[in-house]
Amino acid sequence: MPETMPVTSTVLPVLPPLGVQAERLIELGVHVIAGLPAAELRAFAEAAAAGEGAAAGAGALLAVHPDRAPASALAPLLYRDGKPGFVVTDMPDVDLFTPLETVALPDTPLYLLTALDRGDQMANWSPDEALPALTARARTPLVLTEGIHWVVQQPAVLERNHCFMTIGSRLRKSNGALDARTPAIWISNGTGRDGRERRNAPKVGWCWAGNRHTWLGFASAEGRRV
């Protein structure tokens, strides 16, 4: 296992205010995907921003529960260099990846994630190595849809050589064992089945749970709240 490192990443671009995030989701039609009135997103964001303490909502990410807005519907809303995001062809079951038992999502359509971190210092760790290290620091790994929401709101968080995995989502097989694939979000090189036209597009894919990649960190949050 790699040497233990602090979880704090390099300084990342600041997220927009929650009201701006709500408008971004409405502009992209996420409220329609989720079956929610636009007014509900706006009201949630306003209440969260005005909630407990002056700093409530500052730096937080507004997320729609994956039961309402699955990864397959959100991935095409990502854009980079004018190119939409996509899910790799060998991940047709992307929406069957659900939160680990240790990852508790609020039982509400909308919620917040606080103190996001891309996990750059854990690059070249495997998911199997990273998960217990995050847990030991009371950090919660992002699920795939949360990672997509992050890039939707702040595209600059996805950089070449500094992309990230979302190991809070896993697929459980019929026998109860975890599928060895772990979801990630990175930037396509336009090779292979991606196609040259997708070069530089945001890409939702997967990596093996036991493999290391120098260009993938492990996205996590301090917590989730409504």
Side-chain angles (χ1 to χ4, degrees):
M1 184 173 187
E3 182 181 353
T4 300
M5 297 287 288
V7 175
T8 303
S9 282
T10 52
V11 176
L12 297 174
V14 177
L15 278 163
L18 291 174
V20 175
Q21 292 185 42
E23 293 303 326
R24 174 67 173 155
L25 295 181
I26 293 166
E27 173 191 358
L28 293 173
V30 176
H31 65 301
V32 177
I33 294 170
L36 298 171
E40 186 171 341
L41 264 74
R42 292 187 176 110
F44 178 87
E46 182 179 356
E52 306 166 0
L61 174 68
L62 173 58
V64 179
H65 197 287
D67 287 350
R68 293 294 195 106
S72 62
L74 294 177
L77 304 181
L78 299 173
Y79 275 87
R80 188 176 188 276
D81 288 355
K83 298 177 181 180
F86 66 98
V87 179
V88 293
T89 58
D90 57 353
M91 203 177 183
D93 51 1
V94 63
D95 293 335
L96 300 181
F97 282 71
T98 56
L100 290 167
E101 288 81 355
T102 54
V103 176
L105 272 58
D107 188 22
T108 56
L110 304 169
Y111 62 94
L112 302 178
L113 291 110
T114 58
L116 293 176
D117 188 279
R118 196 169 59 189
D120 293 353
Q121 285 83 354
M122 301 179 89
N124 209 32
W125 291 42
S126 72
D128 286 342
E129 294 164 336
L131 182 60
L134 289 172
T135 301
R137 290 168 178 77
R139 301 281 303 180
T140 179
L142 296 196
V143 301
L144 177 55
T145 54
E146 293 168 346
I148 296 174
H149 274 295
W150 194 9
V151 181
V152 162
Q153 298 292 355
Q154 185 47 274
V157 78
L158 200 66
E159 302 178 75
R160 281 209 174 273
N161 302 316
H162 294 289
C163 299
F164 59 86
M165 304 196 72
T166 54
I167 59 173
S169 291
R170 294 293 293 272
L171 175 64
R172 196 166 289 280
K173 300 178 182 178
S174 58
N175 64 3
L178 288 175
D179 187 281
R181 293 171 296 167
T182 52
I185 306 172
W186 70 94
I187 300 167
S188 174
N189 286 325
T191 57
R193 286 181 288 182
D194 289 2
R196 285 182 295 177
E197 71 280 1
R198 282 176 165 165
R199 179 172 173 77
N200 294 326
K203 174 177 177 176
V204 172
W206 58 271
C207 300
W208 299 119
N211 286 5
R212 298 174 178 176
H213 298 277
T214 58
W215 43 276
L216 286 174
F218 294 86
S220 67
E222 182 179 73
R224 299 174 179 85
R225 66 178 178 85
V226 294

